[in-house]
Amino acid sequence: MRMRLKPPTAAPRLLSIDGGGSRAVIPLENLEMLQKLIGFDLPLCDLFDLSVGSSSGGLIAMTISILRMEIWRCKEVFRSLCKGLFSAANRKNFLKAWVSDSTYNSTALEEMLKEHFGPDRRMFDAPVSLVSTGKVAVTASSIKDGTPFIFTNYNGMAPRRKDPAYGRLRLNVEDEPFLWQVARATAAAPLLFSSVDIPGVGALQDGGMRRHNNPVNIALSEAKNLWPTIPDPDVVVSLSTGSEAFDQPLKTSSFRNIFVDGWIPRVYRSFMNSFDGQHTSKERWTMLGAWNVYRSGPGFSHLDPANRGKLF
């Protein structure tokens, strides 16, 4: 088996991919652009030292890094999965959706993921090519209170804080989840698919809850755990799945309309807006500045032109 070792003078290169369901085709397009830019002699899985993804972004991270699938092939597989999964045949009527806690057929999702990742392959299994793969972290969250967790294919070096912001699911060898189970957990978006109960772990749902739909903060935190002696990564590429614009005015209407500005639509808008990864990136931008973070998507056109042209 061949192992890849990072030179002592090199800092890690990080990839963070937002969740977004079928909109994950956007980061896939960006990754294809990046692959063409760097050349096909250097696969994307060898460019990044750590890839972190939420929901559909987690599926992409696992596919590129663990399966070492070419980006063009990954696009084909993802489009085929979305076309089959979100078809009218897999959509339930209102009553069935309410009773089963999912709008679409969760069993169909599981079968597709088993076919894609294999029915018995695990996170820590040796790669089929016997060439070490990049490090991957995939988010999920507890159905109890939305507490975030990550599945990883690595063990860190630095000691963990006593009260971390997220949990890390590293189980006994006997309870190690299959790849398709990890994918099923991170993709279990409320309203769309039911939660999943993984033996030895518990019931989990979409990793994008609690504003971790953009997992860049988790990526930076995990980099500190993996490479504790390196202060900052060389580069962080954060890929967006787009943002939904809300045209609701800031002030309430002169005529109180509970269907527009009542507490139910306000809570709904706030909940849906919490999945917008742009907010997390803006906060990260405020704390760190431009330095070496590259974010795809609207709202970051003010990047230094010299840096903006390096990747996109």
Side-chain angles (χ1 to χ4, degrees), residues 14 37 52 79 88 105-106 121 130 150 160 188 210 219 236 246 254 264 301 307:
L14 312 182
L37 183 64
V52 183
R79 285 173 174 167
N105 190 337
S106 298
R121 188 170 179 179
L130 296 182
I150 58 170
R160 292 278 167 176
R210 280 202 181 180
V236 180
F246 287 92
S254 56
I264 293 179
S301 58
N307 289 333

Side-chain angles (χ1 to χ4, degrees), residues 103-250:
T103 304
Y104 292 93
N105 190 337
S106 298
T107 302
L109 172 62
E110 292 184 4
E111 293 303 318
M112 292 180 183
L113 293 176
K114 287 179 182 179
E115 181 179 357
H116 178 57
F117 290 106
D120 53 7
R121 188 170 179 179
R122 303 178 189 269
M123 290 289 283
F124 275 81
D125 282 355
V128 177
S129 62
L130 296 182
V131 177
S132 63
T133 60
K135 296 174 175 60
V136 178
V138 178
T139 66
S141 63
S142 166
I143 67 168
K144 180 180 179 181
D145 55 4
T147 299
F149 293 92
I150 58 170
F151 292 95
T152 68
N153 67 342
Y154 58 81
N155 292 306
M157 296 175 59
R160 292 278 167 176
R161 296 187 335 184
K162 292 184 179 180
D163 187 22
Y166 56 90
R168 191 160 169 265
L169 296 170
R170 182 67 180 101
L171 309 173
N172 297 325
V173 176
E174 295 79 10
D175 296 326
E176 189 71 34
F178 298 113
L179 286 181
W180 72 265
Q181 290 177 315
V182 175
R184 174 69 175 83
T186 194
L191 301 180
L192 297 182
F193 301 104
S194 62
S195 59
V196 58
D197 191 3
I198 300 179
V201 178
L204 298 173
Q205 61 184 347
D206 191 294
M209 310 299 288
R210 280 202 181 180
R211 297 192 67 179
H212 284 299
N213 205 43
N214 176 352
V216 66
N217 288 329
I218 291 178
L220 291 166
S221 176
E222 285 300 292
K224 290 291 185 182
N225 179 66
L226 287 165
W227 299 280
T229 60
I230 300 176
D232 295 313
D234 270 344
V235 64
V236 180
V237 177
S238 177
L239 300 181
S240 166
T241 54
S243 299
E244 181 179 356
F246 287 92
D247 299 326
Q248 180 71 12
L250 294 179

Side-chain angles (χ1 to χ4, degrees), residues 3-17:
M3 303 294 295
R4 296 190 300 121
L5 300 178
K6 176 170 285 299
T9 57
R13 298 180 295 267
L14 312 182
L15 174 63
S16 170
I17 310 177

